[in-house]
Structures are given as structure tokens and as C-alpha cells.
């Protein structure tokens, strides 16, 4: 991985982490174009760099993030499914992280869902707005169900934020409430994923060089800064327009990846 490639991947991460378009999927495609997708450090980088983007949530919502013990317990409950399934399917996930075809298919399927999701859960907005205090409070059961939806994002291209937001909406949360909980849930999830990836990297016999450490630090700073602007823009757009634009985007990108891979430029060998 070169210095420029590290910067580009960090910018992509910052832009896409909180959009329902799959940051991991975009990182896989970009690294495939650079012919570095199968490199061990690249796999580490694409996970660890997400931590910087995640910390943007803590920075922007720190008053709301540092709440009661009850709030943290709910985040922990929602985080549990990812821990068990992540450990169980760790090797499979690593193999999927090299596949642009899996990313493309996931983008297309997710795009179809996002084109319909506003219509499916239109009543959520009216329901939550009429009895805000009573019905937008997230219970432990709701948190657990959202946690299982988050596990769908273990398939590259699915989108962690997209899966958890839709999961929240299935529990009668409005878009804003579901989106914010998705943002908060990302913090323990990516902290755990980063720690696990660094541990695995060490267990595989790799040692980070000073240059690689600098890349990770730089990448996280860039992702953090870019994500701050992306979060503000996304929340504003979503509250006014919904998910349809992101659905069309996913369809276009997914189909484009398949065309490029099979007819123009093989993105990787799997």
C-alpha cells in the first residue's frame, strides 16, 4: 500500500461509513483497483481505519453518547450478536473481504430494499411523532433485534448502518431514532472489530512497521475529519428525503462492478 492509496481509502471510509452504501464494500472495490485487496496489511487497514470514522460520532454527539448506564447496557446487548457470530464466522468473513462479486450482489440487493423501505415504514414517522416519549425509547429486546440485523453487515456490501437502520425501523422506530442508535452502536462494534483484527494480525506472525503505523494513524485522522461532514450531511438529507437516492446509487454501483469485473477489468482473483 502506498501513501496515496492509504489517503484515498481513508477518504472513502469517512464518506461512506454512515451512509447505507457499505463502507467496507467500497474499500474492497477501491483496494481491488489498486491490486492490494489480498494484502494482509490492506485487510487490517480497511478495518482499523473505520475506527476514526466511528469516533466522529462520539465527537459530534458526546452529550448524548455519555448518558445513563441503561443506555450503555442497551448498546452492549445490541453488540452481543456481532461478537458471537463474528468469532464463529471469522475465517469466512476474511475470505469474503477479497470478493468484489459478493460486494456487487450485496449492493444490488440492499439497493432494492432501500428503494422500498420508506414506503414500508411510512407509518413509523407518524407513529413516533404522535407519542414520542412513549414509543421511541429503545427497549432491551429492540436493541437485541437491531444487533442481529447488524450481523448482516458481516457480508461485504451489505452496509452496517443500512442494516441497523432498517432493523430499527422494523421495530417501529422512525428514521432519525433508528439512524442515531445505529451511529451509537457503531462505537463498541468497531472498537471490538479493531481490537480483534489487530490481535489476529499479530497471531498470524505479522508485525506493524513504523510506516504502517503512520498509515493507520493518518488514515484514522482523515476518516475522522471526513466523517464529521458526512454525518451532518446524511442526517439532514435523510430526514428530508429518505433512502431512495441511496437505493439507486447502490443499484448503479453494484451493476457497474459486475460489468467492469466480467467484461472490462477483473478486480481481483478469488
Amino acid at each position: 500500500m502506498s501513501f496515496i492509496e492509504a489517503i484515498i481509502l481513508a477518504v472513502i471510509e469517512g464518506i461512506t461509513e454512515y451512509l447505507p452504501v457499505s463502507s467496507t464494500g467500497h474499500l474492497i472495490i477501491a483496494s481491488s483497483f489498486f491490486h492490494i485487496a489480498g494484502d494482509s496489511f490492506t485487510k487490517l487497514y480497511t478495518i482499523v481505519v473505520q475506527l476514526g470514522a466511528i469516533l466522529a460520532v462520539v465527537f459530534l454527539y458526546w452529550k448524548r453518547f455519555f448518558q445513563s448506564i441503561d443506555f450503555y447496557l442497551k448498546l452492549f446487548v445490541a453488540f452481543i450478536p456481532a461478537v458471537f457470530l463474528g468469532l464463529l464466522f471469522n475465517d469466512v468473513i476474511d475470505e469474503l473481504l477479497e470478493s468484489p462479486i459478493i460486494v456487487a450482489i450485496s449492493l444490488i440487493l440492499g439497493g432494492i430494499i432501500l428503494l422500498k423501505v420508506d414506503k414500508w415504514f411510512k407509518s413509523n414517522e407518524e407513529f413516533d411523532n404522535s407519542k414520542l416519549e412513549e414509543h421511541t425509547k429503545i427497549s432491551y429486546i429492540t436493541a437485541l433485534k437491531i444487533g442481529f440485523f447488524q450481523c448482516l453487515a458481516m457480508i461485504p456490501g451489505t452496509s452496517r448502518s443500512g442494516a441497523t437502520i432498517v432493523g430499527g425501523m422494523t421495530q417501529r422506530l422512525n428514521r432519525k431514532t433508528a439512524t442515531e442508535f445505529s451511529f451509537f452502536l457503531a462505537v463498541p462494534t468497531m472498537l471490538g472489530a479493531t481490537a480483534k483484527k489487530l490481535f489476529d494480525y499479530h497471531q498470524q506472525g505479522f508485525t506493524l512497521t513504523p510506516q504502517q503505523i503512520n498509515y493507520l494513524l493518518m488514515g484514522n485522522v482523515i476518516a475522522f475529519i471526513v466523517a464529521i461532514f458526512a454525518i451532518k450531511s446524511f442526517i439532514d438529507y435523510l430526514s428530508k428525503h429518505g433512502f431512495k437516492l441511496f437505493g439507486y446509487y447502490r443499484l448503479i454501483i453494484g451493476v457497474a462492478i459486475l460489468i467492469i469485473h466480467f467484461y472490462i477489468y477483473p478486480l481481483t482473483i478469488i
Side-chain angles (χ1 to χ4, degrees), residues 68-183:
S68 63
I69 296 298
D70 181 67
F71 172 72
Y72 298 124
L73 289 175
K74 288 174 182 176
L75 287 181
F76 177 74
V77 168
F79 172 57
I80 289 175
V83 174
F84 284 102
L85 294 181
L87 292 174
L88 186 61
F89 296 106
N90 182 64
D91 292 338
V92 176
I93 294 170
D94 273 348
E95 292 181 8
L96 293 178
L97 288 175
E98 294 183 39
S99 175
I101 305 306
I102 296 296
V103 171
I105 294 173
S106 298
L107 284 169
I108 292 170
L109 293 177
I112 294 172
I113 292 174
L114 289 184
L115 288 177
K116 301 292 184 180
V117 73
D118 288 317
K119 182 178 181 180
W120 288 343
F121 303 110
K122 184 177 181 180
S123 62
N124 286 20
E125 306 305 310
E126 300 172 359
F127 181 83
D128 278 342
N129 290 336
S130 62
K131 297 183 179 179
L132 187 62
E133 292 184 0
E134 179 181 355
H135 293 293
T136 60
K137 185 176 181 180
I138 298 173
S139 68
Y140 285 96
I141 295 299
T142 296
L144 182 62
K145 290 178 179 178
I146 294 174
F148 278 109
F149 270 90
Q150 178 175 241
C151 293
L152 295 173
M154 292 178 183
I155 303 172
T158 300
S159 172
R160 191 208 60 79
S161 62
T164 50
I165 292 171
V166 172
M169 293 176 73
T170 66
Q171 304 306 303
R172 304 200 75 175
L173 301 178
N174 62 20
R175 286 194 299 257
K176 188 173 185 295
T177 303
T179 299
E180 289 182 350
F181 188 77
S182 170
F183 288 178

